[in-house]
Structure formats: C-alpha cells, structure tokens
Amino acid sequence: MRRFLGCSLLLFGSLAQAQSADAPWYVGASLGLTRVSNLYRLGGDAAANDDTVRSATLLAGVQARLGRQRWKLDANLSQNKYQRNSQLGYNGHSVSASWDWASGSRLSGQLLAGSERTLAPFNPGNVAISTEKNIERNDRARAYARYGLYGLWAVDGGLTLNRRDFSIALYDRFEYTQRSADLGLRYQASAELSLRAATRQSRATYPRFGRVFGSTDFVEDRVRRKDLDLSADWTPSSAHQFALRLSRSTALHSVASAADYEGSSGSLNWSWVPTAKLLLQTRLWRDIGDDTREFASFFGTINSSNNRRYDGLRMQVVYQVSAKVSVQASVSEIRRDFVDEIGLQIRGNQDRTRAASLSARWAFDRNGMVSCQVAADRRTGSANEFSPPYRAHSSGCSLQYLLN
C-alpha cells in the first residue's frame, strides 16, 4: 500500500513542480482511493486482510528568486482512513525547504531541510511480525558547497544529518541518528563527462538497539562507516545519460558485529530517450546498511543496520501518449543479505522482493490531473519470523487540482 501511495505522491509532485516552476506559489488538494489485497504483508496461510484506503491531501508551496539566490518551500498534509482497519487511520505530512545560493563566480551551494511523518511499512522483513499501527518519522538536513578551482577542476563537499523514529516499542532497535560528511575533487573532462573522487565518513547511533539482560536499560549500537567514492556523469548524446558510482565501503558496529561489512558498493543509472515520446530508465545498485546516498527521494524508506548487503535493479518506461496523457510501467527486484544478533544468538537470512506497477496519468487541464495505478509485489525467502514470504497487489485512482 505504501508503495502505491508513494508512486502517487511522485506523480503529484511532478505535476506540482511543472506548474510551479515559474510561479511564486501554488496551493491545491488531492483525493485518493486505493484497494489493497494484503495490507499487513502476511504469508499465504494468514487470514484475509484486504482493505480500502481513502486519502485526502492539502498541498502548498512558495518560492522566490533574488539574483542568483533561490528559496523554495513545499508542504503537504494528509489524512488517511482505512475502511476495515479503522485503528490504522493517521495524519501524515511532508515538508521540505531549500536555498540555492551563489557567491561570486566560483562559490555556490545548497541548504536542504525536511521532515516526513507516515505509516511505516508492515513486516519489512527484519523484525518480528506485527499488525500494530506504527508511525514513522524521518528528519533530514544537508549543506552542500562547491568551489571552482582554476581550469577544469572544482572541490565540493557536504554535511548530512538524518534522524528516524517509530511510535511502537517493537521498532526501537531501528531508531537512529546519522551524521555524514563527504569531500571530493571534481574534474570536468569535457562538456559531456564529469569525474569525481571523494571520501565519505558516516557515524550512526542506534540508541535502543537492545536491552541489557535483566534490566530495563538499553544497549546502544554505534556504526562507523567509511567510503571511497569514484563517480562519473556522462552524457554522450541528447538521448543517453549515464551516472556511475563505485565505492569501497567499510562498516563496523560496536554491538551488531555480525553486520560488519567490508567490500564494494555502488550504483549505475542509465536514461535513454529513443524518441520524443519515450523515456527508459534503468538503475542498478549495491549498498549496505543505512546510506545517505541511496535515498529514493529526499526521504528514505525503512531498512536497518541489519541489512548487511542489498542488491537492487529497477527498470522504468514512460510513454507520452499525448500532451495530456502519459503511461508509466516499472519492474524492480531487491535481494537482501541481512543478519540479526540477539544476545549470543546470531541469525542470518536472505530474501528477494519483486515488484511491478502500471500507471496512467491524464492532465485534464493546466491545473488538474487524474492518475490510476495497479501494482503487485512478492517476497520469497526462508519462511521464518524475520522475512515471511508473501504476495500482495493494489489498485486505485487519485484526483489532484492545483491553483497558482
């Protein structure tokens, strides 16, 4: 269900951005109705838990430019109600603010901050099964700066702060704070090719990773991570664009030592526009634990230090049928290798999640849009308490209208 709502919000966001690109403000609202077959992501022998979700969202944003400076604020407030599982109803929000700045001809940068409140995914695969309402909150801030050196060289870097918490005690061990800093040297080899080498240091703290035996006190897990990144952005033609990152990564845990990792990680993104109406995108990645670089959007999704390694592949096709109608299809697969350490007992597991979706969008006028989507996902792996196999599908439609 959250995957469907997330895709819907991406569609909403793309329309809002298109409409507000030159407008100083926008306000609007959206209504959505989603039918979910397996709300709690339970195994095949579980009792039926299908439901219908109704969502109402208010959206607003403002922006301003002053010379080379730009300020922007976007926010939405949502109310979500469940027909059969009324206890899951919740109010969510997403707020983000940014400042793009420049000083002189060499120095520029960006400041970002945001907060998100939503319903956490049920049974993500690394914690005991629960059907209890669980509200997840993510806060993030980042400061980035770039300074142009002489010739084709530039130095850049940034600081990132992340925080995540949950409303139920079962997820205490996944609450964390993370600080990350990166510093890199960039070389503009040509108009089509940009190269960068950087070092990245991260520190994360899980303050409630476990409990002291026979006590109510918590055991804290601290994570020290180091990455050496090599990246390249290449645009060989107007139809192709590539983004590659290769990293040598090391992660050490103070308590969950079974999740320690040393090896390679990275990502590859390829965009191809074979015709004026067709866009194909492919993303391939490998990473470990909580990584500020691997967020699908400004905010991440639940994972944990238990994710020792995960590999992913996503392919997406967007076809612009007409000026007002577009169709989008996507497939993805994620394979995880994770461990869980409780006292002297270490448990490991591997699972694989496949997902597919098909959506259509109709912009019936400059300010309004209707979108519909069907989606399905399936997880396979060892049938244990951490990662039970399941199947689920969803379908629904949304209506949005903006004024600016």
Side-chain angles (χ1 to χ4, degrees):
M1 183 273 296
R2 184 178 176 182
R3 182 176 287 111
F4 174 84
L5 294 179
C7 292
S8 298
L9 288 175
L10 287 176
L11 291 174
F12 294 161
S14 63
L15 180 61
Q17 292 171 5
Q19 292 183 332
S20 60
D22 300 316
W25 60 271
Y26 71 89
V27 294
S30 69
L31 297 173
L33 190 67
T34 307
R35 182 67 180 174
V36 188
S37 70
N38 187 357
L39 179 65
Y40 294 117
R41 298 303 192 260
L42 301 177
D45 57 348
N49 63 103
D50 57 307
D51 209 337
T52 299
V53 188
R54 300 189 302 273
S55 302
T57 305
L58 297 177
L59 307 99
V62 295
Q63 66 175 349
R65 291 180 180 271
L66 180 60
R68 299 172 63 190
Q69 318 296 315
R70 182 189 180 191
W71 294 267
K72 187 176 182 181
L73 174 65
D74 294 287
N76 70 66
L77 302 175
S78 65
Q79 182 184 67
N80 303 274
K81 295 184 177 181
Y82 294 74
Q83 183 175 359
R84 296 180 59 183
N85 299 270
S86 58
Q87 76 281 0
L88 297 179
Y90 73 98
N91 296 325
H93 71 253
S94 178
V95 180
S96 64
S98 65
W99 172 32
D100 298 315
W101 57 271
S103 178
S105 61
R106 296 179 180 269
L107 184 61
S108 61
Q110 185 182 57
L111 294 177
L112 290 168
S115 177
E116 180 188 55
R117 184 180 189 271
T118 186
L119 185 69
F122 289 103
N123 302 318
N126 46 18
V127 67
I129 294 175
S130 172
T131 59
E132 188 177 355
K133 177 181 176 179
N134 184 23
I135 298 299
E136 175 183 355
R137 175 164 177 167
N138 287 283
D139 301 311
R140 191 182 189 202
R142 176 166 172 80
Y144 169 82
R146 175 173 176 170
Y147 183 77
L149 304 175
Y150 292 101
L152 304 176
W153 296 88
V155 62
D156 65 354
L159 300 173
T160 304
L161 301 176
N162 295 285
R163 186 184 68 177
R164 180 181 63 203
D165 59 52
F166 299 95
S167 62
I168 65 175
L170 181 63
Y171 281 68
D172 279 349
R173 64 183 304 136
F174 302 118
E175 296 182 348
Y176 83 113
T177 58
Q178 183 189 58
R179 306 178 305 278
S180 178
D182 62 276
L183 180 65
L185 183 64
R186 188 180 298 272
Y187 177 63
Q188 193 70 40
S190 66
E192 298 80 19
L193 179 63
S194 175
L195 305 174
R196 184 177 188 259
T199 180
R200 183 159 42 109
Q201 305 279 334
S202 301
R203 300 290 184 269
T205 302
Y206 293 79
R208 301 180 179 182
F209 182 76
R211 287 188 178 274
V212 178
F213 181 75
S215 171
T216 58
D217 296 332
F218 287 97
V219 175
E220 183 179 80
D221 183 30
R222 293 182 176 272
V223 186
R224 298 171 62 90
R225 174 170 173 162
K226 298 179 180 180
D227 295 89
L228 177 62
D229 300 329
L230 300 175
S231 60
D233 295 303
W234 182 38
T235 308
S237 69
S238 59
H240 296 273
Q241 185 175 15
F242 297 87
L244 172 67
R245 176 176 65 85
L246 299 176
S247 302
R248 185 64 182 180
S249 305
T250 302
L252 299 176
H253 296 249
S254 63
V255 176
S257 57
D260 290 350
Y261 180 85
E262 182 176 2
S264 300
S265 61
S267 62
L268 172 64
N269 295 275
W270 172 39
S271 296
W272 179 31
V273 186
T275 71
K277 292 187 174 183
L278 185 61
L279 168 65
L280 293 91
Q281 294 178 313
T282 301
R283 174 173 169 77
L284 178 67
W285 74 93
R286 164 175 286 189
D287 226 305
I288 55 176
D290 289 297
D291 182 11
T292 58
R293 292 276 180 132
E294 294 303 329
F295 285 110
S297 61
F298 186 67
F299 300 101
T301 56
I302 182 174
N303 43 59
S304 74
S305 60
N306 296 9
N307 288 349
R308 187 170 182 269
R309 186 184 73 240
Y310 50 97
D311 303 318
L313 172 65
R314 176 180 171 83
M315 302 177 69
Q316 178 176 281
V317 179
V318 181
Y319 182 68
Q320 194 73 33
V321 180
S322 67
K324 295 185 176 182
V325 178
S326 64
V327 178
Q328 175 179 304
S330 67
V331 294
S332 65
E333 177 174 308
I334 296 179
R335 298 186 181 186
R336 299 189 307 165
D337 176 7
F338 63 90
V339 296
D340 195 80
E341 184 174 341
I342 303 177
L344 299 178
Q345 187 177 22
I346 299 176
R347 308 179 186 185
N349 194 21
Q350 295 180 341
D351 63 18
R352 179 173 63 187
T353 303
R354 293 176 173 174
S357 67
L358 177 64
S359 63
R361 184 178 68 179
W362 173 41
F364 54 85
D365 68 15
R366 179 179 176 274
N367 297 320
M369 177 187 73
V370 174
S371 62
C372 293
Q373 182 185 50
V374 293
D377 58 292
R378 176 188 180 187
R379 184 166 68 204
T380 58
S382 302
N384 61 30
E385 62 180 298
F386 291 108
S387 183
Y390 72 82
R391 293 173 181 264
H393 61 266
S394 62
S395 60
C397 292
S398 301
L399 168 66
Q400 177 182 279
Y401 201 84
L402 299 178
L403 298 175
N404 55 25

